[in-house]
């Protein structure tokens, strides 16, 4: 019996050459990011976002709790909270599934999640329509390289109309991020030095 609903592996996963190119860039981007000086970057990022690409009134913000050497998004989340936006943080499911966002406010408890993440202890599941997207490397077309789980690609693909704003240090820009069929382009990239609009902006 045929099974026409099965997705061929070549469509469900990046081909080996592309996966290898992403893995190589991931390694160098992780090393490079670890050398950056984070002082003041989170506050500068907040100013840039509020001035150049603020979310529309009433937008539900898909944030994330920063980890490791990621740029600090807590200042911008605090400002958006103060402006009255609803905030949500991602809960990471097993690989192959999209992120789940739970409503969260400053002061509410966080607990450890998968891969070293911090996730809301409670909170109802919500669908954000304006997301801050962590990344290891980006280019000016809005292509993005993450940790390799494909989580944000799956998540943005499942939220039609939602905007994904990449957040990064300006130094995380590369000439070209290798991309495949599943890579979901960013609406723009906000850094401590400015906002970079893409073709989607
Ligand atoms: N702060 C933050 N939260 C996030 C993400 C992110 O990139 N940053 N995610 C984005 O999708 C999701 C979590 N997905 C993740 C998938 C894989 C790894 C991972 O493989 N981490 C490496 C450590 C990398 C390092 O040294 O910094 C590991 O555990 O070996 C991490 C997060 C949702 N929450
Ligand atoms: N919507 C999707 N459906 C099926 N497979 C997908 C989808 N999105 C991504 N993938 C696959 O997931 C794998 C990981 O993708 P990729 O290397 O682009 O992750 P990433 O964007 O770096 O990670 P993350 O978003 O978790 O930070 C790839 O094999 C990719 O083809």
């Amino acid at each position: 019996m045929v099974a026409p609903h099965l997705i061929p592996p070549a469509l469900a996963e990046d081909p080996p050459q592309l996966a290898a190119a992403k893995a190589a860039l991931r390694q160098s981007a992780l090393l490079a990011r670890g050398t950056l000086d984070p002082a003041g970057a989170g506050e500068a990022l907040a100013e840039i976002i509020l001035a150049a690409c603020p979310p529309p009134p009433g937008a539900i913000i898909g944030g994330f709790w920063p980890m490791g050497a990621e740029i600090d998004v807590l200042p911008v989340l605090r400002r958006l909270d103060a402006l009255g936006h609803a905030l949500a943080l991602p809960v990471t499911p097993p690989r192959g599934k999209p992120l789940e966002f739970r409503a969260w406010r400053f002061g509410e408890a966080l607990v450890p999640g998968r891969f070293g993440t911090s996730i809301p202890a409670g909170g109802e599941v919500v669908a954000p329509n304006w997301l801050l997207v962590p990344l290891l490397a980006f280019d000016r077309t809005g292509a993005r390289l993450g940790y390799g789980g494909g989580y944000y690609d799956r998540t943005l693909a499942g939220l039609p109309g939602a905007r994904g704003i990449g957040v990064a240090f300006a130094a995380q820009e590369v000439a070209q991020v290798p991309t495949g069929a599943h890579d979901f382009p960013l609406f723009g990239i906000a850094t401590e030095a400015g906002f970079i609009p893409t073709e989607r902006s």
Side-chain angles (χ1 to χ4, degrees):
M1 197 168 54
V2 289
H5 58 283
L6 291 180
I7 302 166
L11 286 181
E13 275 180 23
D14 287 339
Q17 255 188 327
L18 176 58
K22 285 184 177 181
L25 178 57
R26 198 166 278 129
Q27 212 171 4
S28 60
L30 256 176
L31 280 174
R33 195 181 62 177
T35 69
L36 302 175
D37 177 11
E43 289 73 19
L45 180 75
E47 296 294 338
I48 298 280
I49 290 176
L50 292 172
C53 59
I60 301 175
I61 311 300
F64 60 92
W65 191 264
M67 55 182 193
E70 288 172 343
I71 195 163
D72 185 8
V73 290
L74 297 182
V76 70
L77 290 177
R78 279 185 203 283
R79 301 272 295 267
L80 294 171
D81 188 23
L83 285 169
H85 285 286
L87 305 182
L89 296 180
V91 175
T92 309
R95 277 188 200 264
K97 294 184 174 178
L99 299 169
E100 177 183 278
F101 281 85
R102 288 194 196 152
W104 178 83
R105 305 202 63 179
F106 279 93
E108 290 180 358
L110 295 169
V111 295
R114 260 197 184 78
F115 303 127
T117 55
S118 299
I119 65 172
E124 61 168 324
V125 176
V126 296
N129 52 11
W130 197 92
L131 289 82
L132 295 172
V133 183
L135 56 83
L136 291 177
F138 69 91
D139 70 26
R140 291 206 160 228
T141 71
R144 156 192 182 271
L145 185 75
Y147 284 119
Y151 286 110
Y152 273 94
D153 297 319
R154 286 189 181 84
T155 302
L156 291 166
L159 294 169
R163 277 182 184 179
I165 312 283
V167 283
F169 294 97
Q172 288 174 254
E173 179 178 345
V174 298
Q176 196 180 10
V177 173
T179 55
H182 291 298
D183 285 296
F184 197 96
L186 298 167
F187 180 79
I189 302 99
T191 78
E192 81 286 8
F195 177 65
I196 301 165
T198 66
E199 287 109 85
R200 308 191 106 222
S201 304

